[in-house]
Amino acid sequence: MKLENEIRYSLQKKVQGWELPISARHELMQRIDRDRLKSRRTRTKLIPICIAAALIVPTGAFAGYHYLADSIYGSSSTVMNLKKDHLEQYEHMEAKLQAAKAQLSEAEYDHLSKLLSEAAEIYTTNMDASGQLDTASMNKEELNRLTELEQELRKASAGINAPDKSDIPQPTDYKTFLKNLLEEGKKSLSPEKYTTFSRLVEESIVIVEKYEKDQEMSPAQDSENLARLTELNKQLQSYFEEMGYVVKEAK
Amino acid sequence: MKRNTDLDGLIARTLNGETMAYAEVYEQTSDSLYQTIRFLVGNAEDAQDIVQETYLEAHRYLHRFDRSRPFRPWLMGIALRQTKACRKRRWLQLRKIGKAAQYGRAQEEDFSGQIADRLDYNGLAEQIERLPYKLKQIIVLRYLNDYSQEEMAETLNIPLGTVKSRIHTALERLRQEADGASAKSSVKREFEMGGKRS
């Protein structure tokens, strides 16, 4: 017999009867279930940005970093943990929502918001670490519902005017937005108000910079910084309003 | 062929969220995978752990699997990476207790002492087990799993030429050892029968 045949035969003979215990399959399926639950919990920290580009039609005027998107996706404080391209997408989404709000009736906008919130919830619970939809972890009902939502969203956002892209100011990150506000505040606020305003904005910028430098900060540092940023946002509300911005409180 | 089509359907259903479809994928593929891994790592316990981790990882990244390619080599690739990690852990453990060198020598000495008595098929399997890991891996994929050389190259992520040269080297070693064992055996028989040693 040729050596190769002998090898084949001897290996088959050697492994004959080697079988996995029956319990192994059950253990595996249990671990898959646990794995799925665990990954869903950790994913809820991220924002489902990708839906923005896919589902909402182009927009009208972009008025800085407003927080309409927060009402759909959660807190702006979460956005600050994201990378720059995600922030840009988030701001783009915000601009589109602003346009939708301006061009739709209240009932139509509410309907659109509800559809987006539901889609966002599905994205949030099924996103991988890079922010991409992880269809492997979704069940059939979720996949079907998402497809339906996409169709409904297209219908709900049909007819919103798409302005020329050059008309839309380039999206900026939160820090740039704050820095721009400093410049704008110089012109529109009284010197007394500007002193307080600039102090609050500069402190906010310092915190945002900390996030940029250390995106993996400890939970303790994270909550401390977010609490302070929230407080600063509260104190800045009246200035924002005076300058014509509607900025929602960071949650 | 039918089996592969079935497997593809099961993978599609798994991607649609049907957990039970993945259980069926496991049923269809796990035994041969386990046998291969157990042969490579040499014990049942480690092999079971590796198989478990392999299916977990495969499930996690199933959406990245290119369904135009065969599933089993992709799965085997994951299993072999897990095996590599397991071997590394074991080696580090051995190093830690300072017995790695003795362990290796003891096994080699034991092997050389017994080779003359091992000419049956079981002996050949043991000779394969004694091959360096890289060659053993090649032999098991080729002759236990019937992988083509192209599939082996893809699974191991090495050039086709390397696969060919490793197969050649492994077969050459096994052939030499079989010849050596055969010669020793015949000398031993002559000695026992009172023949002369020349």
Side-chain angles (χ1 to χ4, degrees), chain A residues 48-62:
Chain A
I49 294 302
C50 26
I51 195 172
L55 301 179
I56 292 290
V57 295
T59 181
F62 176 77

Side-chain angles (χ1 to χ4, degrees), chain B residues 18-189:
Chain B
E18 281 186 51
T19 313
M20 286 320 291
Y22 194 64
E24 187 53 35
V25 170
Y26 174 86
E27 283 296 313
Q28 285 198 17
T29 55
S30 60
D31 275 343
S32 60
L33 187 79
Y34 171 67
Q35 288 169 350
T36 301
I37 300 304
R38 181 165 161 182
F39 189 86
L40 288 173
V41 296
N43 73 79
E45 201 179 321
D46 282 347
Q48 284 168 21
D49 287 347
I50 289 167
V51 168
Q52 184 102 164
E53 292 303 323
T54 298
Y55 279 93
L56 268 179
E57 191 180 328
H59 184 265
R60 213 171 284 151
Y61 296 107
L62 197 60
H63 59 291
R64 293 188 192 164
F65 166 60
D66 176 358
R67 284 171 57 199
S68 65
R69 326 275 303 176
F71 177 69
R72 286 168 198 267
W74 181 74
L75 186 71
M76 184 65 82
I78 297 175
L80 292 176
R81 283 196 297 278
Q82 293 282 354
T83 305
K84 196 175 171 186
C86 172
R87 280 166 49 82
K88 195 175 173 188
R89 279 197 301 276
R90 270 202 316 188
W91 184 78
L92 287 171
Q93 279 167 357
L94 287 169
R95 288 261 311 189
K96 224 173 185 175
I97 57 174
K99 288 184 177 172
Q102 288 157 285
Y103 182 82
R105 272 202 302 274
Q107 292 215 333
E108 275 174 28
E109 280 160 12
D110 181 39
F111 167 61
S112 59
Q114 291 173 5
I115 192 163
D117 301 325
R118 306 227 169 144
L119 288 169
D120 60 3
Y121 294 124
N122 197 36
L124 184 53
E126 286 187 17
Q127 284 175 19
I128 297 165
E129 279 180 310
R130 308 283 183 206
L131 284 174
Y133 183 73
K134 277 181 190 172
L135 301 182
K136 181 162 68 168
Q137 197 172 235
I138 284 282
I139 290 290
V140 170
L141 289 181
R142 182 80 187 95
Y143 299 107
L144 185 60
N145 293 274
D146 284 328
Y147 276 28
S148 67
Q149 293 183 351
E150 288 76 15
E151 283 175 331
M152 289 159 74
E154 195 178 320
T155 304
L156 297 169
N157 199 22
I158 55 176
L160 187 59
T162 309
V163 170
K164 286 179 181 172
S165 73
R166 283 188 191 171
I167 292 176
H168 177 77
T169 308
L171 289 177
E172 203 51 40
R173 290 234 188 144
L174 291 171
R175 199 168 279 126
Q176 281 170 6
E177 286 188 1
D179 290 347
S182 175
K184 276 190 184 181
S185 177
S186 101
V187 167
K188 190 179 174 191
R189 269 201 306 277

Side-chain angles (χ1 to χ4, degrees), chain A residues 85-138:
Chain A
D85 58 335
H86 285 164
L87 272 168
E88 285 174 356
Q89 285 183 50
Y90 193 74
E91 292 200 52
H92 197 191
M93 172 69 188
E94 173 63 28
K96 288 175 176 181
L97 283 172
Q98 293 283 349
K101 193 165 189 183
Q103 294 175 39
L104 297 174
S105 71
E106 199 174 327
E108 284 170 336
Y109 181 77
D110 281 351
H111 178 57
L112 182 67
S113 301
K114 277 179 191 153
L115 294 174
L116 275 171
S117 298
E118 191 182 343
E121 175 63 25
I122 296 177
Y123 266 77
T124 311
T125 50
N126 293 289
M127 249 177 10
D128 64 21
S130 63
Q132 298 299 309
L133 189 65
D134 181 9
T135 49
S137 70
M138 292 170 71

